[in-house]
Amino acid sequence: MNPVVKSALAGVVALAGFAPVQSFAQDASCTCATAYQGVGPIGSIGHVDGDVMISQVAGYGPAQAGGALDFGSRVVVGGKGSASVHVGGCNLSVPANSTLDISRVENKICLNVLGSEQTAQTGGSNNNNNTPLYIFGGMALGAGILAATADKDHGVSQ
């Protein structure tokens, strides 16, 4: 293969490593983080008002004040609802049209409230996630380089 083509191909591969990968990375930011004490359940629901659901073993069910929370719990609040949760040192309000996810990040409990403002941005014009465009462009560029560098004179079957 031509050294110039090899260098160009190496450059394309190197640039691919710097492409944005935000859709593949897990967002580890927490609305509130607290130390994990190694006991379960890790928290509870404080109050429930209106349409509030909680994840359970068999799917989602209605949330109730005093209900236990553990890792993997998700509290979903509808348009006419609200809730509060108590986990370790975190006391959070979950407003209408929001979701609370509870996960473990290293030795901490991570509570992450995703509200209607995040949901509204995912479909709006402020969405700058061009990952599919980069993937398609990289595939097209790679196919073009392969086609340009194909050794047509020394094929396997002649």
Side-chain angles (χ1 to χ4, degrees):
M1 187 182 293
N2 185 342
V4 174
V5 174
K6 283 184 183 179
S7 297
L9 188 57
V12 169
V13 171
L15 284 175
F18 295 108
V21 291
Q22 63 206 25
S23 64
F24 302 112
Q26 179 178 351
D27 185 8
S29 63
C30 304
T31 303
C32 184
T34 187
Y36 176 52
Q37 302 297 324
V39 296
I42 59 172
S44 64
I45 299 175
H47 88 271
V48 174
D49 183 32
D51 184 23
V52 181
M53 305 291 280
I54 185 168
S55 62
Q56 299 173 335
V57 176
Y60 284 89
Q64 297 177 354
L69 297 171
D70 212 335
F71 293 114
S73 292
R74 174 175 279 180
V75 178
V76 180
V77 180
K80 295 183 179 180
S82 67
S84 68
V85 297
H86 309 290
V87 177
C90 295
N91 296 312
L92 291 177
S93 295
V94 187
N97 294 321
S98 297
T99 301
L100 169 77
D101 289 324
I102 301 174
S103 61
R104 183 173 180 175
V105 176
E106 296 176 3
N107 288 330
K108 293 186 178 182
I109 303 168
C110 178
L111 286 81
N112 197 6
V113 177
L114 300 173
S116 56
E117 66 278 359
Q118 287 89 355
T119 305
Q121 287 181 358
T122 60
S125 60
N126 292 335
N127 188 1
N128 292 326
N129 185 359
N130 292 322
T131 303
L133 179 63
Y134 290 127
I135 291 171
F136 179 75
M139 290 172 41
L141 183 61
I145 290 172
L146 287 175
T149 60
D151 191 0
K152 297 180 178 92
D153 295 333
H154 296 90
V156 175
S157 61
Q158 294 192 6

